[in-house]
Amino acid sequence: MPTATSTVTTPPFSAQIPLKAGLKASKQPAVAFSSAPTMGQTSTGATLRSLYSRATRAFVLKDMPTTYSLIQSAFSILKPPTANPDSLSEYRRKWDILRITFESTVYATPAASSESLPESLRASLAEPPQALVTSIYNRSLSLFTPSNGTTFKNTVNAAFLPGAVLTTLVYCSIKLDAPDVGRVMIEDWLARREPRYSLDVQEEAEGNGYEKVLELYCLHILPKVEQWEYAKEFLEYESELPVQQREHLKAALSNLYSQR
């Protein structure tokens, strides 16, 4: 079973996570809940909100240099939390999703159109897909794992990744043809998150994203690495989803297998 470390090692496809162990996950580390935002945090939030509006507009207009510059400006002031959640949690989530989407889009763009990009970005985009996706994933782990407030480096923990960020990372791995890295991401998250046995619409709206993660895992990632039987077996053991949703995934998997 993958573990969260400062680097990601892609396991061979024959190394399966224990089905029941992957679903009976250990609880997230206890962290202090944040107090009311300070004046400084309020000011930072206002700055991030203004930058985000400009960055998303630049991205939609395909102004990649401006988008990159605004992303760099945002992350110069957006650091890992010291408590989970904190007053900047929503900004952290939105900005990381934008950064992942931006980088995967630029990477998939023909090289000729990247000549106007900053040298630092072009250098990272010259990496092999697996290396780039792994680097992006590790960066997200560091961004969302609460800081211990000391000079010692924290042990990153995938349990702190918001569901929406994880699914964006997995889509990135699929888009850049690195599904084995996407598999590591999901299995690490499944192993570390705290299970919820009463999933409902409200929990999904709050960003749990468990059903979407399983959809990506069983219908996209595992089929791409030719793990059809394991995907089927995983759904047989899965016990957290409502029965109707689980049966829907089983039917969709069977349909995909028949069309391959």
Side-chain angles (χ1 to χ4, degrees):
M1 182 182 298
T3 57
T5 61
S6 59
T7 59
V8 173
T9 301
T10 303
F13 296 146
S14 60
Q16 313 287 11
I17 61 170
L19 292 171
K20 294 183 179 179
L23 297 171
K24 295 181 179 178
S26 58
K27 294 186 177 182
Q28 297 183 13
V31 293
F33 284 92
S34 60
S35 57
T38 64
M39 183 177 298
Q41 290 173 324
T42 302
S43 175
T44 299
T47 300
L48 290 169
R49 185 165 55 250
S50 174
L51 288 173
Y52 187 79
S53 177
R54 294 165 57 195
T56 53
R57 177 174 175 78
F59 185 52
V60 169
L61 295 176
K62 299 183 179 180
D63 184 349
M64 299 310 189
T66 298
T67 305
Y68 178 73
S69 175
L70 291 168
I71 288 174
Q72 293 295 96
S73 295
F75 281 101
S76 70
I77 59 175
L78 189 55
K79 306 300 181 182
T82 55
N84 184 48
D86 67 3
S87 63
L88 299 179
S89 292
E90 181 65 12
Y91 296 108
R92 199 173 286 110
R93 180 186 66 82
K94 291 169 64 174
W95 273 105
D96 202 39
I97 289 173
L98 176 60
R99 179 167 61 175
I100 297 163
T101 305
F102 168 76
E103 290 177 347
S104 61
T105 299
V106 172
Y107 192 91
T109 301
S113 64
S114 66
E115 294 177 357
S116 62
L117 296 175
E119 177 61 32
S120 57
L121 180 58
R122 291 205 304 270
S124 66
L125 297 180
E127 297 182 31
Q130 283 194 335
L132 177 63
V133 176
T134 297
S135 176
I136 291 173
Y137 174 54
N138 286 328
R139 184 184 62 195
S140 292
L141 290 177
S142 296
L143 178 64
F144 288 97
T145 300
S147 168
N148 55 22
T150 70
T151 57
F152 296 102
K153 188 174 182 179
N154 282 7
T155 299
V156 294
N157 190 333
F160 291 108
L161 281 179
V165 171
L166 177 62
T167 56
T168 303
L169 286 164
V170 175
Y171 277 124
C172 173
S173 75
I174 294 171
K175 184 173 185 176
L176 302 189
D177 196 25
D180 48 345
V181 182
R183 180 182 184 182
V184 170
M185 298 175 188
I186 293 176
E187 292 181 351
D188 194 9
W189 187 77
L190 288 174
R192 293 174 178 273
R193 67 183 286 275
E194 181 175 359
R196 300 182 185 182
Y197 293 102
S198 59
L199 287 179
D200 56 27
V201 174
Q202 182 179 2
E203 286 179 333
E204 289 297 309
E206 290 173 352
N208 175 49
Y210 178 73
E211 181 183 359
K212 185 61 179 179
V213 171
L214 287 202
E215 178 186 331
L216 286 171
Y217 186 52
C218 296
L219 303 186
H220 296 274
I221 293 296
L222 291 177
K224 280 185 176 293
V225 296
E226 296 298 326
Q227 292 293 301
W228 294 94
E229 286 302 316
Y230 181 61
K232 180 180 178 181
E233 187 179 0
F234 181 92
L235 289 174
E236 288 296 329
Y237 279 94
E238 200 284 329
S239 59
E240 189 172 342
L241 285 176
V243 174
Q244 183 176 1
Q245 294 175 354
R246 184 165 55 253
E247 292 303 315
H248 173 74
L249 289 179
K250 288 181 180 179
L253 179 64
S254 178
N255 184 52
L256 281 175
Y257 184 78
S258 67
Q259 295 178 12
R260 69 190 180 111

